[in-house]
Amino acid sequence: NAGVTQTPKFQVLKTGQSMTLQCAQDMNHNSMYWYRQDPGMGLRLIYYSASEGTTDKGEVPNGYNVSRLNKREFSLRLESAAPSQTSVYFCASSRGTALMNTEAFFGQGTRLTVV
Amino acid sequence: KNQVEQSPQSLIILEGKNCTLQCNYTVSPFSNLRWYKQDTGRGPVSLTIMTFSENTKSNGRYTATLDADTKQSSLHITASQLSDSASYICVVMGKTSYDKVIFGPGTSLSVIP
């Protein structure tokens, strides 16, 4: 049982380049989330998807887009990367429709550097 | 303003010793509080969850306490092991909406032999 799988684990982009971070879960969870983690700060929610076919903005959505491709997969896209997007990105999933009311499972993270 | 604060920022202890990590929050209204452990290079893993009506919750050598009146929580680690070296994150959820899930900045714990 792989849980939540993110790819890639590491990525270096030049300013202005685009890329998509992939996330897949095999636990049949309804909800999926994208967070970013920066030094000295707590994880901040970028986007979430409460169910297949729905997505909503979180706390820091600017510069990102998401796609809930199916129940398993939730991707995060950076259309024009900026140095401020250098961060560690985490995908998470949970069975219920609220992150805290049911246990959330996190992927291993994607460390992104924009130069 | 950071709605969840943790102290200390970092801590070094000897293997076998106990330690206590603190979490203060201002999130209101409050629904529940969770402690996560995050190993270096990994995603967070849930340790405990407490609702506003619970005072304490244990998970093996980890014991979390909650004082909803003072808006404080602590995580006590007993008989520390080298594998306890990690970042410990306090997460507080308000009553409504996803953007009320607030992660603290974490406490980095190093357990040395």
Side-chain angles (χ1 to χ4, degrees):
Chain A
N1 190 341
V4 179
T5 303
Q6 291 182 235
T7 57
K9 292 194 70 175
F10 302 94
Q11 183 71 50
V12 178
L13 290 178
K14 293 182 178 179
T15 298
Q17 285 186 318
S18 62
M19 79 160 296
T20 299
L21 281 64
Q22 306 287 351
C23 176
Q25 53 91 9
D26 60 4
M27 295 171 283
N28 201 35
H29 284 170
N30 293 311
S31 299
M32 297 185 73
Y33 316 82
W34 276 105
Y35 284 89
R36 61 178 289 174
Q37 185 175 39
D38 300 295
M41 302 181 69
L43 276 78
R44 292 180 293 169
L45 183 64
I46 304 171
Y47 271 93
Y48 65 93
S49 171
S51 62
E52 184 179 354
T54 68
T55 61
D56 286 285
K57 295 179 180 179
E59 179 185 356
V60 288
N62 292 343
Y64 306 95
N65 285 300
V66 291
S67 295
R68 183 74 183 267
L69 304 171
N70 47 57
K71 193 170 186 179
R72 291 186 64 249
E73 299 172 289
F74 189 39
S75 62
L76 178 72
R77 182 161 179 84
L78 286 70
E79 290 291 350
S80 179
S84 61
Q85 294 178 305
T86 294
S87 187
V88 181
Y89 291 85
F90 286 97
C91 177
S93 71
S94 64
R95 177 172 52 83
T97 56
L99 182 67
M100 293 287 284
N101 287 340
T102 58
E103 185 173 359
F105 295 82
F106 286 81
Q108 294 196 13
T110 296
R111 185 173 295 276
L112 175 67
T113 301
V114 183
V115 298
Chain B
K1 183 181 186 305
N2 194 345
Q3 298 184 63
V4 179
E5 298 181 343
Q6 294 186 242
S7 61
Q9 184 175 356
S10 62
L11 181 63
I12 301 174
I13 62 173
L14 292 174
E15 184 179 13
K17 298 296 185 182
N18 303 334
C19 67
T20 300
L21 313 180
Q22 299 291 343
C23 174
N24 295 335
Y25 62 92
T26 59
V27 177
S28 183
F30 163 75
S31 175
N32 56 63
L33 182 148
R34 194 187 291 268
W35 283 92
Y36 281 88
K37 178 186 180 187
Q38 184 177 19
D39 293 317
T40 300
R42 307 294 294 270
V45 175
S46 178
L47 289 175
T48 65
I49 179 171
M50 290 181 291
T51 65
F52 64 89
S53 61
E54 295 179 292
N55 299 118
T56 186
K57 185 69 69 76
S58 291
N59 178 1
R61 294 180 297 103
Y62 301 100
T63 299
T65 63
L66 173 63
D67 186 334
D69 292 331
T70 62
K71 293 184 169 59
Q72 295 180 326
S73 177
S74 65
L75 180 69
H76 186 74
I77 304 175
T78 304
S80 61
Q81 301 176 357
L82 298 179
S83 59
D84 292 332
S85 295
S87 179
Y88 291 84
I89 302 172
C90 174
V91 186
V92 179
M93 184 179 188
K95 286 285 191 182
T96 60
S97 82
Y98 292 88
D99 61 358
K100 283 298 187 182
V101 178
I102 309 297
F103 286 74
T107 291
S108 177
L109 174 66
S110 297
V111 180
I112 59 176

